[in-house]
Amino acid sequence: MSVTDISSPSHADLIAIRRDIHAHPELAFAEHRTAELVADRLSRLGLEVHRGIGGTGVVGVLRAGRGLRAIGLRADMDALPITERNTFAHRSTHQGCMHACGHDGHTTMLLGAAAELAARPGFDGIVYFLFQPAEEGEGGALAMIEDGLFDRFPMESVFGMHNWPGMAAGHFAVHDGPVMASADRFDIRILGRGAHAAMPHLGNDPVVAGAALVQAIQSVVARNLDPLDAGVVSVTGFHAGEAYNVIPDRAEIYGTVRAFSAAVREHIEVALKRQCEGIAALFGVGADYAYRRGYPPTINSSAEAALAAEVAASVGTRVITDARPSMGAEDFAYFLERKPGAYIWIGNGPGEGGCTLHNPHYDFNDEIIPAGVAYWAGLARRLLPASR
């Protein structure tokens, strides 16, 4: 299926849907209006619709032929807690909330694919359209899984797609292996003894110990990881004290850890704990260390990545297979931990003027909707071929 197979009236309708969703953004697990819009559209197309999966998730089921093989196609629905700075007519009507990551476009492209496949199936089997809540840090994918997604809707593989600003509009990037990193968080509390700032010898300064720890943490990646392994440890917060003339009794440090493999993730977690214990002993302070696992790395399976690249190429746009993976995180990783599949990027065009992800001036590029629809429909037909 090529982009030109999407007629302009259909494209215009999809643009209207996308802009309506953009104007009415909803945060994680609160996508009630969006989920109802999705469910209503799927119902009108004649699909079997299941609501409330993992909270506000929606699953549409489309069967064609007599085949029992099934695949899952996923789009995320939630917005971000960002105040939009755009002034166009479809800007957010909800103060402090906007679609700054393109989930409005992802949802629309998958709805477009559902419409295309319902009208002209061309496949034999079952396609599950997975409209997921709460991708933005709240783990909606895991919530759907824990709500029985793969038990209730058994599928052999699952696929996701995200727009990518800075990549030419309509081009695709497909990775064989890691696409996105894991995203973990750490919290460290340095426990010292407060004193007058003029009498530091009477206390035990947690600020000095904390500063030393921040410096030491920089060696976790630089001197503990194999140089050929990728990892990022970022200290993003350091809070201590309330007055100029008081040495506080505690300091709090926190940050994030990102990696592309479970082994590197584990190595960094252990190394951070070791640094905390060493600095605490060196400065004679206490150190409470907590490491919280977040999204795992998003890793495509080779066979499915190759199929995704093949389908993307058939749409008629360029397919990039050597793009560097991103240190950003994505909860589609939970799906790929349980099923083979591929998560790919579709170019959103230049990122000038703030049109980058998680930016208050971002907007999804409506011109790439037909390419996304064509990819989804082509993927279903390629993976579930109809008998001739």
Side-chain angles (χ1 to χ4, degrees):
M1 180 183 184
S2 71
V3 174
T4 56
D5 290 327
I6 303 294
S7 64
S8 53
S10 174
H11 187 193
D13 181 52
L14 292 174
I15 290 174
I17 294 171
R18 203 284 296 180
R19 294 184 178 183
D20 177 70
I21 296 173
H22 187 95
H24 301 90
E26 297 169 302
L27 297 178
F29 293 120
E31 310 93 335
H32 302 292
R33 181 186 187 277
T34 307
E36 190 53 40
L37 181 153
V38 166
D40 178 64
R41 291 273 171 175
L42 296 177
S43 294
R44 282 196 269 162
L45 292 171
L47 273 66
E48 176 186 318
V49 178
H50 300 263
R51 295 171 169 83
I53 311 298
T56 45
V58 177
V59 175
V61 184
L62 180 62
R63 296 180 173 86
R66 293 195 283 182
L68 298 178
R69 295 181 57 213
I71 62 169
L73 310 179
R74 173 271 204 173
D76 35 20
M77 300 187 294
D78 58 322
L80 283 156
I82 295 175
T83 297
E84 184 158 7
R85 301 300 182 195
N86 292 313
T87 57
F88 44 60
H90 62 277
R91 64 186 178 276
S92 172
T93 58
H94 299 164
Q95 181 68 18
C97 182
M98 77 168 287
H99 274 292
C101 201
H103 297 187
D104 50 343
H106 303 164
T107 296
T108 300
M109 290 189 293
L110 193 56
L111 283 173
E116 165 63 25
L117 290 170
R120 298 185 290 178
F123 70 94
D124 185 14
I126 306 168
V127 177
Y128 295 118
F129 298 90
L130 314 177
F131 293 88
Q132 181 208 304
E135 186 279 326
E136 297 291 358
E138 299 296 331
L142 186 58
M144 292 185 80
I145 292 168
E146 291 177 342
D147 200 18
L149 177 70
F150 292 133
D151 296 323
R152 297 168 64 180
F153 310 100
M155 60 195 76
E156 58 188 52
S157 55
V158 62
F159 297 83
M161 178 164 55
H162 201 293
N163 77 96
W164 209 251
M167 189 165 71
H171 287 188
F172 292 91
V174 182
H175 299 75
D176 181 355
V179 187
M180 309 284 278
S182 58
D184 300 335
R185 298 178 180 180
F186 62 87
D187 293 273
I188 302 166
R189 188 169 55 167
I190 306 295
L191 304 173
R193 186 170 67 253
H196 195 294
M199 306 170 193
H201 60 292
L202 299 179
N204 201 350
D205 195 340
V207 176
V208 174
L213 180 57
V214 170
Q215 293 296 314
I217 285 173
Q218 306 313 306
S219 71
V220 168
V221 171
R223 288 296 178 266
N224 287 268
L225 287 188
D226 184 322
L228 298 181
D229 288 330
V232 176
V233 180
S234 294
V235 175
T236 56
F238 189 135
H239 300 285
E242 300 176 61
Y244 283 97
N245 60 349
V246 177
I247 293 174
D249 63 355
R250 67 187 59 202
E252 296 179 351
I253 299 168
Y254 55 82
T256 62
V257 173
R258 299 173 186 272
F260 290 124
S261 74
V264 170
R265 198 181 187 191
E266 178 71 24
H267 191 92
I268 292 175
E269 179 180 353
V270 172
L272 280 173
K273 185 174 187 294
R274 186 171 62 246
Q275 295 279 21
C276 288
E277 292 172 346
I279 291 295
L282 178 63
F283 286 87
V285 296
D288 291 338
Y289 168 68
Y291 191 94
R292 291 176 288 146
R293 292 291 179 104
Y295 293 173
T298 303
I299 303 175
N300 289 341
S301 48
S302 293
E304 283 67 29
L307 283 169
E310 179 184 318
V311 172
S314 73
V315 171
T317 57
R318 181 185 173 198
V319 178
I320 302 165
T321 57
D322 59 354
R324 301 178 74 178
S326 169
M327 276 292 177
E330 162 64 59
D331 76 344
F332 190 76
Y334 290 117
F335 291 150
L336 292 179
E337 282 189 326
R338 293 159 175 82
K339 298 287 180 179
Y343 178 85
I344 74 167
W345 299 341
I346 181 172
N348 198 57
E352 289 92 351
C355 194
T356 55
L357 301 179
H358 293 216
N359 185 288
H361 293 284
Y362 170 87
D363 191 32
F364 183 85
N365 184 355
D366 290 324
E367 296 308 308
I368 70 172
I369 291 175
V373 172
Y375 168 75
W376 280 136
L379 191 63
R381 292 166 180 154
R382 173 67 177 80
L383 290 169
L384 303 171
S387 56
R388 299 185 183 277

